[in-house]
Amino acid sequence: MKKILLLNGGKQFAHSAGRYNATLHDAAVAHLDSKGFDIQTTFIDGGYDIGAEVQKYLWADVIIYQMPGWWMGAPWTVKKYIDEVFTEGHSSLYANDGRSRTDASKKYGSGGMIHGRQYMIAATWNAPQTAFDDPSDFFEGKGVDAVYFPFHKANEFLGLSALPTFLSVDVMKAPNIEADVARYLAHLDKVLG
């Protein structure tokens, strides 16, 4: 049985009520629970105990970040969560930056302590899929994972490895939550086995 920490990074802000992310998060929780996975959750914008969140990372086999894309990355509330939890996790989530004055083969970013575990980004964007995939469009064909490169590296710093990203697009101009939920649950079944 896998232990899964599901983080809801949705937020009510300006013209968004956070419902799309909450719906996807809740569907994932119910689906994975029905499959027999051991589940813990955090609604980041609802507040959290930093030490307890570190313990959740130490407990989990898989961490799922459900969040909207805001200004080309994670919302500030998710970034704050990462900053606080990862910093608190020094000596339990990571030992150091990995380098050693006595062993030049130890590279920066190799000091993580939770190897063998995985994480996944599940993101919602107003941008259409072509914005990520088309070389002549906004993200120059680099794909969604290039947009989240620093986020991926922060998780890799702990020793986590990435599962394939799930992306919901056009969520404001052409929302299709029912289809996105169905695609998301199929994605979870595929990547989690």
Side-chain angles (χ1 to χ4, degrees):
M1 176 190 306
K2 284 190 176 175
K3 298 176 285 188
I4 303 179
L5 171 59
L6 295 110
L7 302 169
N8 179 354
K11 179 172 179 53
Q12 185 172 355
F13 181 78
H15 52 274
S16 172
R19 288 189 309 268
Y20 219 96
N21 283 282
T23 300
L24 289 166
H25 171 83
D26 292 346
V29 169
H31 183 72
L32 294 173
D33 184 55
S34 76
K35 299 280 185 178
F37 290 99
D38 197 1
I39 303 293
Q40 290 192 41
T41 65
T42 300
F43 174 44
I44 292 172
D45 201 42
Y48 50 87
D49 176 275
I50 297 167
E53 295 305 303
V54 170
Q55 292 306 308
K56 288 179 182 181
Y57 273 77
L58 293 171
W59 167 86
D61 297 314
V62 176
I63 297 103
I64 298 175
Y65 298 95
Q66 177 66 56
M67 61 185 161
W70 279 16
W71 291 108
M72 313 323 134
W76 68 269
T77 48
V78 174
K79 179 65 168 90
K80 178 179 183 253
Y81 173 90
I82 293 288
D83 290 349
E84 291 177 338
V85 174
F86 288 16
T87 300
E88 179 72 17
H90 183 266
S91 79
S92 60
L93 300 178
Y94 64 98
N96 49 47
D97 71 8
R99 296 175 295 164
S100 166
R101 289 181 178 89
T102 59
D103 184 353
S105 70
K106 293 184 178 177
K107 303 294 184 191
Y108 180 82
S110 64
M113 298 173 70
I114 55 174
H115 293 273
R117 300 166 198 223
Q118 301 168 305
Y119 72 96
M120 186 183 87
I121 296 171
T124 60
W125 279 74
N126 180 46
Q129 188 68 49
T130 56
F132 298 98
D133 299 341
D134 184 339
S136 66
D137 214 320
F138 189 75
F139 293 111
E140 303 170 8
K142 293 182 168 85
V144 68
D145 288 306
V147 176
Y148 286 104
F149 183 75
F151 195 89
H152 283 299
K153 286 300 176 184
N155 282 276
E156 185 182 335
F157 195 90
L158 303 182
L160 298 169
S161 59
L163 290 167
T165 297
F166 177 79
L167 181 61
S168 295
V169 295
D170 250 345
V171 299
M172 295 189 69
K173 290 195 171 66
N176 191 345
I177 190 65
E178 294 81 12
D180 281 344
V181 167
R183 281 189 321 104
Y184 187 31
L185 300 183
H187 179 84
L188 290 171
D189 288 342
K190 181 178 179 182
V191 301
L192 296 175

